[in-house]
Amino acid sequence: MKKLLIILGILIIMAITNPDKAEFISFAEGLALHQSEGFIEEVSAYLFAEKTAEIVTESQNYVIFSIYTLPGVDGKDINFIGLFDNFFPIGSVNINLDTVVGFCGTILLMLILLRVVRKMISKDEIDEEKNEIQS
């Protein structure tokens, strides 16, 4: 029963932290500014990235996570998964250091959370067994 409640709690947290399309558009704008090279690209990204991302972004919301698709320059779509208020590239995309650090941080946070929950469960089970033995 406790494991079911923990899984349900994690799913609720995932649903609450599922980023929406507006957050992805802000992310895509920042990504365009970060990857622009030269003055003209930087100004273009600053002026047009938000509206362009708003128009061309396709999104699929699965309640606990979302998938966002941008058309690539070479005709291949670029997919991102929105999870725990972060965006992670899916497939072969140029991954920058910020994305890797964010992904590793999210995984580390989840592992710490799972370890704490596991200790809480084992402590409760030990207490229950002690109570049963004493009764």
Side-chain angles (χ1 to χ4, degrees), residues 20 32 41 62 68-69 74 82 84 99 130-131:
D20 61 7
E41 282 185 21
Y62 295 100
Y68 299 94
T69 304
D74 58 354
F84 296 112
T99 305
K130 284 180 182 177
N131 290 337

Side-chain angles (χ1 to χ4, degrees), residues 14-72:
M14 289 176 73
I16 291 170
T17 60
N18 180 12
D20 61 7
K21 188 174 180 179
E23 290 172 294
F24 179 76
I25 290 169
S26 294
F27 166 78
E29 181 182 16
L31 192 63
L33 285 169
H34 181 71
Q35 292 183 348
S36 60
E37 297 177 6
F39 179 73
I40 294 175
E41 282 185 21
E42 196 170 309
V43 169
S44 297
Y46 182 77
L47 294 174
F48 303 113
E50 181 179 2
K51 275 295 180 201
T52 303
E54 192 174 317
I55 293 169
V56 301
T57 298
E58 295 179 20
S59 64
Q60 299 169 334
N61 188 340
Y62 295 100
V63 181
I64 59 173
F65 68 93
S66 295
I67 296 178
Y68 299 94
T69 304
L70 290 171

Side-chain angles (χ1 to χ4, degrees), residues 2 123-135:
K2 290 180 186 180
K123 183 180 177 186
D124 289 342
E125 289 174 357
I126 291 170
D127 290 342
E128 287 176 12
E129 287 179 19
K130 284 180 182 177
N131 290 337
E132 288 178 11
I133 292 172
Q134 291 175 354
S135 298

Side-chain angles (χ1 to χ4, degrees), residues 14 27 65 79-91 95-112:
M14 289 176 73
F27 166 78
F65 68 93
N79 297 307
F80 293 86
I81 185 168
L83 185 67
F84 296 112
D85 281 331
N86 285 295
F87 300 99
F88 307 103
I90 303 172
I95 300 174
N96 61 23
L97 184 61
D98 295 337
T99 305
V100 173
V101 170
F103 178 73
C104 291
T106 302
I107 296 298
L108 182 62
L109 182 63
M110 289 303 300
L111 290 173
I112 291 169

